[in-house]
Amino acid sequence: MTKSSKRPPAGLPDKDTLVAFLREAGSAEKTDIARHFGLKGGDRRALREMIRELEAEGRLGKRGRKGFSEAGALPPVGVSDVIERDGDGELYVRLVEASPDAPRAILMPDKSKAAPGLGDRVLVKFQRGDEGWEARLIKKLDVGTNRVLGVIRKSARETRVEPVDRRSKDVLLVPQAQSGDLRDGDLVLAAIEKGDQRYGPKRGKILEHIGKEDDPRAASLIAIHAHGVPTGFSEAVEREAEDQALPTLKGREDLREVPFITIDPADARDHDDAVYAARDEDPKNEGGWIVWVAIADVAAYVRPGSQLDREARDKGNSTYFPDRVEPMLPEVLSNGLCSLKEGENRACLAVRMVFDKDGRKTGHRFVRGLMRSHAKLSYEQAQAAIDGQTDDTTGPIMEAILYPLWNAYHAMLKGRLKRSPLQIESAERRIRMAPDGGIASIEKRASLEAHRLIEEMMIQANVCAAETLEQKKTPLIYRVHDAPSQEKIFNLADFLSTIGKPWNKGEPGTTKRFNKLLDETRDTEHADVVNEVVLRSQMQAIYSPENIGHFGLNLDRYAHFTSPIRRYSDLIVHRGLIRALNLGKDGLTDREIAELPAIAEGVTMTERRSMAAERDAMDRYIAAYLEDHVGATFAGRITGVTRFGLFIRLEDTGADGLVPVSTLGSEYFTHDDRAHALVGERTGKRFTLGRMVEVKLREATPVTGGLVFEMLSEPEPRDPNAPAPRYGIRGRGGDGPPIRSKNRPGGPKPRNGSKPSGGLKGVRKGKRK
């Protein structure tokens, strides 16, 4: 009898009873479970063991940092998409960002609310019904997403709209009356016509002619429309933004003599943060530093309840594309009154921080001030100056401004190293646009010390904001990042065992433990793949009025304060500080405090919407860039292994594409999910995660962003520790029947350019954590 099948000790519920309790409760922490069943002493230790066993059996999953729920269960409330309508007209929803096998829920009718349509995003309350999960509508988060962005394809008999989203199956048939002026290759927005049609293509109605699929700007236009990113501003909001006065000293501290400077990307158009540092003259803090961070006082112009405020909340954040920005605020504010321009008076909310010689923060205070930036630098310009290459701007400010900034940062760095935040390295690419709207080049972004200096100063300012609001007992929106789930740690441990790096599955995944692993593999052949697997094991950061800390930064409390021009979450924190510190009448209102959970949910959703749109635009731009290179060979790395193929990332451009399993060779390949490998059933030869390979580009489809490669490298030899291969055996993952290669009929063919579920998310540097 195995350990997991023994009868639980007396006083404990059996496993089925425990799972049933969590099913009823939705989720609960260990202490809540123990209290419910009246457990003490040894019974509590046995409960912890039972929970571990249920997790290993796949019957329980983590919910938050400490909670547990039944595996496959849904949260009490969640943001979902309307994904399907059945033959009876019933709508079904699925959680946004859910795994493909996550349960769907039937949307229960509610006559008091307008019914959503297919594709709409909704906030719903989940509960179990007699026949499965049920969802009750709280509100629609955005409307009109039951629309299809697609390309016109004309034939002699009909006109169709083929969706640009490679995951969509909604090919629409357009009535002849609407298709007369349309041309093959036109980019259009169409609505799915309502009706009882069950067979054949759905009917569509053309709503808007957007452009041509070969337009150099099509990538960002497609991403904007496909993800419902709001564009432009109403006339009323534009008028309200223009009707703002220049800032004065009234109610503000005069900071214009403090020599603040801005350090931003070379192409930045808005500047919402400025920094300054000086030695602390207090003899009790020998070797210490004073660090100032000044942030644009957006709250002075965007007031609660105004039309500006309502549109900023709906947008949630600015969205950045290679050729354009969709800003959260009108340009007259984002690039004007709220931008900390060199030599101009600007309203700010600033924090003065004191650090000792070892980088420990010993105090801080916030002020509402009037400042004037003394210089505008790019990251590259500031770094070059520190490296000895000054110019007309940096030369005169080296001694008074730049050297003190760097010396203060080096002191702060000691504190950062003691804290040991997660040290994942993520290579970012930058697309440079040509004057004609095409792509001039795709480059790796340099990682400079100047980036890390601004990042650390912004992090510390964000910590100060959270600490002050907590101290003043003012509610706020935290930026929280949960620890990796036990399931993710188990998957990581399984993979590490295949490259000879032990990780005890019972060992907690702390940032220090992750960093130790990254350091041990940094100069080895496994460095890149370990970095990626560690990144995939992390949870996504979100906004929440409830604090669980920030795992990646290894901080107990953290809030976004430093980018109110482009993030609504930061504007809420500014208003909280104004209220808490009696800095004006435009602080956080009682109504906003009551709405903080909804605001946090909303800005999390808009952030993910923007990230998805930015990734999709990048994919399409890169596919357009590579379209002229079909047939060329490239060096790449295997970054994903699935049962339907291998995902390859090219070394030079960072482009991601697929090698379909049906093209790999003359034998069956099965997916060994523990080893992250495709294994030939006859020979045992393998294609493994992280391996460098050579591939040939077979297809590049700019309109969908899809790339398809052909594998040129031979598979690795059979793993000598694996069982002897025999025809028909499955990989250890056991995730389905054998997959047929191109030389065996009947093999599945994945859609071109499809993406792996759970793939890597865009990781922004510095201020965007």
Side-chain angles (χ1 to χ4, degrees):
M1 178 179 289
T2 65
K3 182 177 180 180
S4 61
S5 63
K6 291 179 180 178
R7 177 181 295 275
L12 284 176
D14 60 29
K15 290 182 177 179
D16 290 340
T17 302
L18 177 54
V19 172
F21 164 70
L22 289 171
R23 182 182 305 136
E24 181 71 22
S27 66
E29 297 183 6
K30 291 175 185 176
T31 53
D32 298 325
I33 298 170
R35 189 181 302 112
H36 176 79
F37 289 104
L39 305 180
K40 296 180 181 179
D43 283 347
R44 289 199 172 209
R45 289 190 292 273
L47 173 66
R48 290 195 292 272
E49 178 63 26
M50 181 186 292
I51 289 173
R52 280 195 291 268
E53 291 175 3
L54 285 168
E55 280 191 282
E57 294 166 11
R59 298 180 65 187
L60 290 189
K62 288 293 288 286
R63 176 69 54 78
R65 175 166 285 187
K66 299 179 180 179
F68 294 88
S69 64
E70 183 184 13
L74 295 172
V77 175
V79 178
S80 304
D81 288 328
V82 182
I83 60 166
E84 187 179 342
R85 186 193 302 273
D86 67 12
D88 298 323
E90 301 285 3
L91 293 173
Y92 289 85
V93 300
R94 177 170 287 146
L95 272 176
V96 173
E97 303 286 343
S99 61
D101 58 349
R104 66 177 189 172
I106 187 171
L107 187 63
M108 306 303 289
D110 186 342
K111 294 182 179 179
S112 67
K113 296 183 177 70
L118 283 173
D120 280 351
R121 183 152 291 181
V122 292
L123 184 65
V124 296
K125 181 182 295 184
F126 290 107
Q127 64 183 41
R128 287 184 184 270
D130 294 336
E131 298 181 3
W133 284 96
E134 298 175 351
R136 298 189 181 277
L137 181 66
I138 298 175
K139 68 175 180 177
K140 287 198 284 186
L141 296 177
D142 48 29
V143 296
T145 49
N146 58 329
R147 299 176 179 182
V148 173
L149 184 68
V151 178
I152 292 293
R153 299 299 183 213
K154 300 193 82 170
S155 67
R157 294 192 305 171
E158 63 185 18
T159 301
R160 297 191 178 206
V161 178
E162 291 186 356
V164 298
D165 185 350
R166 50 184 168 258
R167 297 163 295 184
S168 175
K169 300 177 182 178
D170 290 326
V171 176
L172 304 184
L173 191 62
V174 178
Q176 290 295 330
Q178 279 202 322
S179 62
D181 295 333
L182 296 174
R183 298 289 179 265
D184 201 71
D186 281 353
L187 194 61
V188 298
L189 185 65
I192 302 173
E193 294 276 68
K194 295 182 178 180
D196 298 328
Q197 179 185 355
R198 299 188 184 182
Y199 304 103
K202 297 179 180 179
R203 303 288 173 173
K205 177 182 178 181
I206 303 298
L207 300 176
E208 182 181 353
H209 179 260
I210 296 170
K212 298 286 290 184
E213 65 174 317
D214 57 359
D215 185 333
R217 304 178 307 123
S220 55
L221 289 174
I222 290 171
I224 287 167
H225 283 82
H227 293 277
V229 176
T231 59
F233 299 91
S234 67
E235 290 185 12
V237 166
E238 292 281 11
R239 284 196 302 269
E240 188 177 327
E242 292 169 0
D243 189 25
Q244 302 286 347
L246 288 169
T248 67
L249 270 174
K250 184 178 180 180
R252 298 183 178 277
E253 187 171 325
D254 193 348
L255 301 177
R256 287 175 293 180
E257 297 306 314
V258 178
F260 286 105
I261 64 170
T262 61
I263 305 179
D264 289 293
D267 57 356
R269 298 178 64 191
D270 56 68
H271 309 279
D272 49 13
D273 58 82
V275 292
Y276 170 70
R279 286 199 176 276
D280 189 0
E281 300 301 330
D282 186 345
K284 297 179 181 178
N285 189 26
E286 185 177 353
W289 292 90
I290 307 295
V291 176
W292 281 89
V293 172
I295 306 298
D297 189 358
V298 175
Y301 305 103
V302 183
R303 298 172 184 86
S306 65
Q307 294 188 73
L308 256 174
D309 182 51
R310 286 194 292 272
E311 280 202 25
R313 179 171 169 179
D314 287 343
K315 288 173 179 285
N317 48 264
S318 299
T319 307
Y320 295 84
F321 301 103
D323 66 330
R324 71 183 65 214
V325 177
E326 286 300 335
M328 185 180 80
L329 300 175
E331 188 170 354
V332 68
L333 291 180
S334 61
N335 297 344
L337 278 178
C338 293
S339 186
L340 306 182
K341 293 185 175 182
E342 181 180 1
E344 297 188 20
N345 290 349
R346 286 293 182 262
C348 70
L349 194 57
V351 58
R352 178 185 184 272
M353 300 176 285
V354 182
F355 295 89
D356 66 17
K357 63 181 180 180
D358 296 318
R360 185 174 64 90
K361 183 168 69 70
T362 59
H364 71 267
R365 69 180 178 92
F366 284 91
V367 299
R368 206 171 189 184
L370 187 70
M371 62 152 289
R372 182 187 294 133
S373 173
H374 286 233
K376 167 192 163 186
L377 304 182
S378 69
Y379 286 114
E380 293 79 8
Q381 191 179 14
Q383 189 66 56
I386 289 298
D387 293 340
Q389 299 172 348
T390 60
D391 58 24
D392 291 343
T393 301
T394 57
I397 63 173
M398 290 299 298
E399 293 295 331
I401 300 177
L402 289 181
Y403 283 144
L405 270 175
W406 251 260
N407 288 332
Y409 165 65
H410 288 151
M412 297 169 71
L413 187 58
K414 297 176 184 177
R416 179 184 176 93
L417 294 175
K418 288 179 182 178
R419 193 176 81 239
S420 191
L422 200 56
Q423 300 291 346
I424 293 177
E425 297 176 355
S426 180
E428 292 188 70
R429 261 60 176 194
R430 176 183 179 180
I431 293 179
R432 288 194 177 274
M433 305 301 295
D436 63 358
I439 302 171
S441 62
I442 300 175
E443 307 167 351
K444 287 185 179 179
R445 289 185 186 269
S447 178
L448 305 175
E449 189 175 49
H451 289 117
R452 296 187 288 276
L453 178 150
I454 294 297
E455 176 186 19
E456 186 60 23
M457 290 183 178
M458 297 304 117
I459 288 173
Q460 292 299 330
N462 289 336
V463 171
C464 291
E467 289 178 347
T468 294
L469 290 172
E470 280 194 0
Q471 180 188 12
K472 296 294 184 179
K473 296 182 170 33
T474 301
L476 70 148
I477 292 177
Y478 294 91
R479 180 65 166 178
V480 299
H481 181 220
D482 207 350
S485 66
Q486 196 160 17
E487 178 185 7
K488 287 179 178 286
I489 295 295
F490 283 2
N491 290 339
L492 174 67
D494 284 339
F495 168 72
L496 292 175
S497 67
T498 68
I499 61 171
K501 297 298 295 182
W503 183 301
N504 187 332
K505 288 187 177 181
E507 189 175 0
T510 64
T511 56
K512 286 186 178 181
R513 180 63 181 92
F514 280 121
N515 289 339
K516 180 174 181 289
L517 171 65
L518 294 168
D519 288 340
E520 290 172 347
T521 57
R522 198 172 305 281
D523 297 321
T524 72
E525 60 179 324
H526 303 300
D528 288 331
V529 65
V530 169
N531 197 79
E532 292 211 6
V533 173
V534 169
L535 180 56
R536 292 181 186 183
S537 72
Q538 304 305 308
M539 309 297 283
Q540 278 191 291
I542 64 170
Y543 295 101
S544 172
E546 302 297 328
N547 184 29
I548 61 170
H550 196 295
F551 175 81
L553 295 175
N554 202 11
L555 292 168
D556 292 332
R557 55 193 59 82
Y558 190 65
H560 271 171
F561 158 75
T562 54
S563 296
I565 290 177
R566 54 193 173 90
R567 291 191 305 226
Y568 193 79
S569 57
D570 302 50
L571 177 56
I572 291 294
V573 170
H574 275 234
R575 288 176 180 163
L577 290 166
I578 292 167
R579 174 180 175 135
L581 300 172
N582 297 315
L583 297 176
K585 297 180 179 180
D586 46 1
L588 198 65
T589 65
D590 291 341
R591 180 173 180 175
E592 286 177 301
I593 289 174
E595 294 178 344
L596 283 183
I599 294 173
E601 185 87 43
V603 294
T604 297
M605 182 274 292
T606 61
E607 177 186 59
R608 292 185 179 178
R609 176 180 66 193
S610 293
M611 289 173 64
E614 291 165 358
R615 284 197 305 271
D616 279 5
M618 284 286 288
D619 287 345
R620 290 183 171 95
Y621 274 117
I622 290 173
Y625 181 73
L626 292 175
E627 190 176 20
D628 294 335
H629 297 78
V630 170
T633 60
F634 300 91
R637 187 179 299 276
I638 299 175
T639 57
V641 181
T642 72
R643 65 185 307 271
F644 53 81
L646 302 168
F647 287 91
I648 309 297
R649 178 167 299 151
L650 302 187
E651 283 291 286
D652 290 340
T653 62
D656 291 303
L658 176 71
V659 175
V661 70
S662 59
T663 67
L664 281 179
S666 59
E667 63 176 322
Y668 289 108
F669 277 84
T670 55
H671 180 209
D672 184 339
D673 63 349
R674 292 184 62 198
H676 294 262
L678 285 181
V679 183
E681 291 191 337
R682 179 169 50 82
T683 64
K685 292 182 178 180
R686 305 168 297 148
F687 289 101
T688 55
L689 184 70
R691 181 188 166 193
M692 288 295 299
V693 292
E694 187 177 23
V695 293
K696 179 184 287 187
L697 180 60
R698 284 300 188 191
E699 295 179 26
T701 312
V703 74
T704 64
L707 300 174
V708 178
F709 298 118
E710 174 188 342
M711 180 62 70
L712 300 181
S713 299
E714 292 295 321
E716 297 174 73
R718 180 177 74 87
D719 181 356
N721 297 318
R726 65 182 180 87
Y727 181 78
I729 194 170
R730 295 180 183 176
R732 282 180 285 171
D735 62 344
I739 304 167
R740 298 183 183 274
S741 73
K742 66 178 180 180
N743 293 329
R744 296 187 182 271
K749 295 182 179 180
R751 293 171 65 87
N752 289 350
S754 56
K755 290 285 185 181
S757 60
L760 289 176
K761 308 293 183 187
V763 178
R764 297 188 181 275
K765 291 186 184 295
K767 304 173 219 176
R768 297 175 183 262
K769 289 197 175 182

